[in-house]
Amino acid sequence: MTGIGDWTDRAGLTKVQDELLAGTLAAAAASPFYQRRRDGVPVNRAELADYPLTGKDDLRDAYPFGMLAVDRSRLATYHESSGSTGTPTASYYTAADWTDLIDRYSRMRVGIRATDTFLVRTPYALMLTGHVAHAAALANGATVVPADNRSMATPYAKVVKLLKDLDVTLTWSLPTETLVWAAAAGRAGLRPGRDFPALRALLVAGEPLSPARRDRIGRLWNAPVVQEYGASETGGLAGECRYGNLHLWADRAIFEVYDPATGRISAEGSGELVVTPLCREAMPLLRYHIGDRVEVTFPDCPCGWALPVVRVLGRFEAGGGITQVGLEQVVFGLPDEYGVLFWRARHSGPELLIQIEVDDTYRAAAIAVLHGAVGTAYDIECRVEALPLVPERVLTAAPEVMKPRSLFTAGEDWDRALRYY
């Protein structure tokens, strides 16, 4: 891994950050957004510590090129976020920025090898995630299978076929995707942990992931689950060491934790993540408030890295201290034989409704166990329902690719003429 000699000493990390920060601040001085700020651009780390946060609303207001710090002729790619919590934000990268993106992604603890067949199952289009994985896999000599996400050309049954027929060794997806593949494999008469022997790791990101769900996925597929964390505006921000801790890449960014209740900002603790990327030409960001709820610590990790460790808790809380990660930990604490892969919950007033998809044989047991566990964990009235959550057609649909046509023979369905979907 690049720079590993600098990761074992916290003072060494600070020195690396300080060396890179000068270039970051110089780049920010060329950004129209930071030029217009009343405070100007800080000139050193001490001034940066008092600089106002950059928020998502700032990026939205600067759409599309108000954050651009280089001539547009130097841009390699333009991207937008998913907009999962509001209006999408724009981001852009130069060729040099891409070198850094690829390097950080390639730090995956299982490595990307020339012998790998790498299935990319995150969105391409305007989002960054699929393109980064694709580029990093190619840079490391792997064979890329660009399966995209939510594409009619590669429905879940097709993904399962690709995994098996191509002897896929690595996958890149949301954690939930791996569970849908498992369900689709079952519909095809296949067992995930037995019938895909080439698979050596499942690389995941894009969702909060509880230890219980991570372990369940790993047992289901008989392969390690390796987590990465990042954002479209920043690229990868954290990756796992061999002991499963998610370390922030503090040699490539300065990380802080913001407590919205007190306004206090510190290097560790619980709150919302703030990041200053240090290797960014096209779109420098100073104290960017991502908004993800996190816990950042500096433990003595057995791996020896001095890099901080992060737990990502997500952005959504239903009230009463109920979080997706917390509930997920309880749900996936159910015995594997119950077959629970999918769930959802709604907190309404004094009651928490949880719905699970469970094997009929264990329906009553699962409801009883989950009802008791959640009630104990959250001291709340809990109601549990068992019902199908993923439609059969989603798991078994065949690929559908329709090119525009204008000429049909008798009996053909020409209502699809000129349609692209």
Side-chain angles (χ1 to χ4, degrees):
M1 291 186 180
T2 304
I4 194 166
D6 298 323
W7 297 355
T8 57
D9 177 65
R10 196 166 174 180
L13 279 173
T14 301
K15 181 180 178 181
V16 169
Q17 290 176 345
D18 288 343
E19 290 172 350
L20 294 173
L21 182 59
T24 298
L25 297 178
S31 164
F33 170 78
Y34 289 111
Q35 288 173 348
R36 289 195 301 268
R37 274 207 157 176
R38 182 191 63 191
D39 306 76
V41 175
V43 297
N44 53 41
R45 189 162 187 153
E47 289 191 8
L48 179 66
D50 294 323
Y51 197 69
L53 303 184
T54 302
K56 287 187 178 290
D57 284 343
D58 292 322
L59 269 60
R60 295 183 183 111
D61 292 344
Y63 177 90
F65 290 113
M67 306 294 296
L68 184 62
V70 298
D71 190 88
R72 283 184 62 177
S73 64
R74 293 190 57 204
L75 289 186
T77 58
Y78 170 91
H79 302 273
E80 291 184 2
S81 67
S82 63
S84 59
T85 57
T87 305
T89 58
S91 58
Y92 13 89
Y93 297 87
T94 65
D97 291 335
W98 266 98
T99 298
D100 174 56
L101 287 172
I102 291 170
D103 179 82
R104 278 182 280 153
Y105 189 91
S106 298
R107 292 173 169 183
M108 289 285 187
R109 68 174 175 85
V110 294
I112 303 174
R113 307 167 185 165
T115 53
D116 280 321
T117 298
F118 194 136
L119 184 135
V120 179
R121 181 62 175 178
T122 57
Y124 280 70
L126 284 173
M127 292 184 67
L128 181 68
T129 172
H131 299 282
V132 171
H134 190 121
L138 290 180
N140 286 278
T143 300
V144 179
V145 182
D148 201 0
N149 178 274
R150 299 183 182 181
S151 165
M152 293 175 66
T154 48
Y156 289 106
K158 177 66 173 180
V159 171
V160 170
K161 181 174 173 57
L162 292 171
L163 289 170
K164 184 168 178 58
D165 292 352
L166 304 184
D167 292 325
V168 169
T169 58
L170 293 176
T171 64
W172 172 240
S173 71
L174 296 169
T176 296
E177 280 278 316
T178 66
L179 296 172
V180 183
W181 303 342
R187 297 302 191 280
L190 301 169
R191 287 174 53 186
R194 179 196 66 188
D195 296 323
F196 303 84
L199 187 65
R200 68 181 188 89
L202 299 149
L203 312 180
V204 299
E207 297 177 76
L209 181 64
S210 68
R213 183 162 68 130
R214 171 187 171 144
D215 292 346
R216 176 80 167 99
I217 295 169
R219 291 192 301 272
L220 192 62
W221 285 96
N222 192 30
V225 178
V226 180
Q227 191 176 10
E228 198 251 18
Y229 169 64
S232 288
E233 301 92 342
T234 62
L237 295 174
E240 286 186 9
C241 70
R242 64 184 182 276
Y243 293 96
N245 285 323
L246 192 60
H247 288 271
L248 289 166
W249 299 135
D251 65 320
R252 299 296 174 87
I254 296 173
F255 296 97
E256 301 171 279
V257 181
Y258 168 68
D259 183 344
T262 64
R264 180 174 177 266
I265 300 178
S266 57
E268 57 188 307
S270 298
E272 299 174 353
L273 192 65
V274 173
V275 57
T276 300
L278 296 174
C279 298
R280 193 75 181 275
E281 288 186 335
M283 187 176 161
L285 293 169
L286 303 182
R287 306 191 87 190
Y288 177 51
H289 180 202
I290 290 181
D292 288 335
R293 297 176 60 250
V294 298
E295 293 177 357
V296 176
T297 58
F298 285 84
D300 292 327
C301 184
C303 73
W305 294 350
L307 298 168
V309 169
V310 62
R311 286 186 63 228
V312 183
L313 305 177
R315 299 178 186 172
F316 181 73
E317 183 175 315
I322 299 172
T323 65
Q324 178 172 317
V325 169
L327 270 182
E328 181 179 281
Q329 181 71 15
V330 178
V331 171
F332 282 92
L334 293 170
D336 290 0
E337 58 265 27
Y338 287 9
V340 175
L341 300 182
F342 310 111
W343 70 283
R344 64 187 180 190
R346 175 175 289 161
H347 185 201
S348 178
E351 182 185 73
L352 178 68
L353 170 63
I354 300 178
Q355 296 179 332
I356 58 173
E357 187 170 308
V358 61
D359 189 297
D360 286 341
T361 305
Y362 300 101
R363 179 189 180 101
I367 290 175
V369 171
L370 192 55
H371 182 275
V374 171
T376 300
Y378 291 101
D379 190 25
I380 190 173
E381 182 62 33
C382 174
R383 180 160 55 98
V384 182
E385 297 177 346
L387 71 168
L389 294 176
V390 178
E392 182 77 14
R393 57 181 171 75
V394 171
L395 304 176
T396 59
E400 184 176 359
V401 181
M402 180 70 179
K403 294 182 178 180
R405 286 175 59 190
S406 298
L407 179 63
F408 292 79
T409 60
E412 283 191 292
D413 178 11
W414 69 350
D415 287 338
R416 296 299 304 274
L418 304 181
R419 293 187 184 179
Y420 290 81
Y421 55 89

